[in-house]
Amino acid sequence: MLSMIPPEPELFYSRDDPMDPRLGDLVKPVSRDIDEALKSAQIALVGVPEDRGIKANGGKQGAALGPKAIRRSFYRLTPGFGLDVSDLSMVDLGDVPIGDDLAGTHKNLTETVKKIVSAGVFPVVLGGGHDLTYPGLLGLVEGSSLKEGQLGVINVDSHLDVRDMSHGITSGTPFRRALEELPDRALLGRSFVEFGIQEQYNSPHYYRWVKDKGATVLTLSSVGTRPMEYFLEASRVACDGTRAVALSIDIDSVRSHEAPGASASNPRGFKAPELEKVAYLAGRTDRIKYLDIMEMSPPLDEGGRTAALCASTLFWFCKGFRERG
């Protein structure tokens, strides 16, 4: 594994009060022996402070600061009630080194996720631009030795993100690359679900392309007021015949009132509690083996609301994960 950039100690909030523990007391920052830390871990957090893919797609930069902001909010949370997350063995491996170019960062992330997965640990990747999902998926495929049709993917997003590579790697290309470039055709269209897509923000050309690949597209309008029911259907599709499923969350899937710090925010989207419930259901789903949360841009975030939403989304995923058999 690469030499990671250790997380900043001040992000690990503590009240120094055993009667009021915070996640900053419970999650272990790793600064040296990563291999040893992974031996006893169930979940490993990794940050990728990289947003050149957003710039390449014509978007507003700032998501490179996302991992730090999400950590700051996450480590202030409590373990919760009942079957809480205090018994989860979670480590924070720090940030993936940024390459001289975007491809270099992608290579570093792939190597990191592969190492985590090979150790039997669940990777959580905090971005960063959505282009980073592709190298995360590649690391999952290589670390799990997935073959043809053994990977499922659910993309919770306003956008399809299946642009072609005519302008190189951008935040709009990750799932096109996953369908076309992953080794051994690990991801087939029948196991790919686009969830929460907003028709008015997507090209009909790319919609036809992804449908021609056999993917399932569940628009925000079709999901309507029943996102939990439809997410269970999305999980069924992605899990059918696969060995591992990846969940990618672009925070612009939530309406801008509650997620103003999304790189490409818009007024329509899921409500914050709906995304939290999706995360909880995903956490409970044994077949889901990878999570990333992408496109949170602190310079656009009013009052830290989006960072707090990302943190609570991660909390509810961990809460569900704690309930796995």
Side-chain angles (χ1 to χ4, degrees):
M1 180 180 283
L2 296 166
S3 296
M4 303 289 284
I5 301 169
E8 299 174 30
E10 61 268 23
L11 297 177
F12 292 79
Y13 179 79
S14 175
R15 291 180 63 89
D16 295 317
D17 181 354
M19 303 299 289
D20 189 9
R22 301 303 172 101
L23 294 182
D25 296 309
L26 301 175
V27 180
K28 301 177 179 67
V30 179
S31 58
R32 293 185 180 178
D33 196 339
I34 291 175
D35 289 334
E36 186 64 29
L38 289 175
K39 288 180 181 178
S40 59
Q42 294 171 279
I43 294 176
L45 274 63
V46 172
V48 196
E50 170 70 88
D51 59 11
R52 284 176 287 185
I54 295 173
K55 181 180 180 181
N57 201 36
K60 300 175 182 177
Q61 287 186 272
L65 301 173
K68 181 176 180 178
I70 296 170
R71 284 185 174 107
R72 189 182 301 280
S73 290
F74 183 65
Y75 292 135
R76 296 186 72 90
L77 301 178
T78 75
F81 307 144
L83 192 63
D84 61 43
V85 303
S86 59
D87 290 335
L88 276 182
S89 177
M90 301 174 63
V91 296
D92 189 330
L93 302 184
D95 288 341
V96 170
I98 301 306
D100 292 335
D101 56 18
L102 194 52
T105 301
H106 280 210
K107 181 179 178 181
N108 294 345
L109 177 57
T110 294
E111 183 177 333
T112 301
V113 172
K114 180 180 179 180
K115 180 71 172 181
I116 294 168
V117 172
S118 298
V121 179
F122 189 103
V124 173
V125 178
L126 306 177
H130 213 171
D131 57 282
L132 299 168
T133 295
Y134 174 74
L137 296 179
L138 180 57
L140 174 62
V141 167
E142 293 182 346
S144 302
S145 300
L146 300 179
K147 303 303 180 183
E148 182 172 349
Q150 293 183 337
L151 174 67
V153 174
I154 304 172
N155 175 37
V156 181
D157 201 338
S158 290
H159 305 96
L160 296 166
D161 285 349
V162 292
R163 292 182 180 274
D164 62 35
M165 293 284 288
S166 57
H167 298 289
I169 299 170
T170 77
S171 60
T173 60
F175 302 107
R176 177 82 165 236
R177 299 188 70 196
L179 287 163
E180 293 186 335
E181 299 180 27
L182 285 174
D184 299 319
R185 300 181 70 229
L187 175 64
L188 300 178
R190 67 181 185 226
S191 302
F192 177 44
V193 183
E194 300 267 26
F195 189 79
I197 302 302
Q198 298 196 40
E199 182 177 346
Q200 67 273 29
Y201 301 128
N202 290 276
S203 161
H205 169 81
Y206 292 123
Y207 173 77
R208 288 191 296 269
W209 185 90
V210 77
K211 290 294 289 182
D212 286 345
K213 289 292 182 180
T216 298
V217 179
L218 297 174
T219 65
L220 184 68
S221 297
S222 66
V223 169
T225 59
R226 298 184 292 169
M228 303 309 98
E229 177 183 334
Y230 277 95
F231 184 75
L232 290 173
E233 173 62 14
S235 296
R236 185 196 64 77
V237 172
C239 290
D240 187 19
T242 60
R243 286 179 47 211
V245 173
L247 174 64
S248 181
I249 297 175
D250 188 323
I251 205 63
D252 74 15
S253 59
V254 177
R255 57 187 183 173
S256 57
H257 173 69
E258 295 173 282
S263 295
S265 64
N266 54 76
R268 298 182 71 247
F270 293 118
K271 298 175 183 178
E274 293 173 339
L275 182 63
E276 292 169 345
K277 290 176 182 176
V278 162
Y280 171 72
L281 291 174
R284 287 172 54 95
T285 304
D286 290 342
R287 194 74 59 82
I288 292 180
K289 305 291 187 183
Y290 168 97
L291 169 69
D292 66 40
I293 301 175
M294 299 298 187
E295 302 267 349
M296 204 294 284
S297 180
L300 304 175
D301 198 13
E302 298 172 7
R305 298 203 301 273
T306 317
L309 173 58
C310 291
S312 64
T313 299
L314 178 54
F315 168 84
W316 282 105
F317 179 87
C318 292
K319 178 84 170 176
F321 190 94
R322 177 68 177 81
E323 297 177 15
R324 292 189 180 187

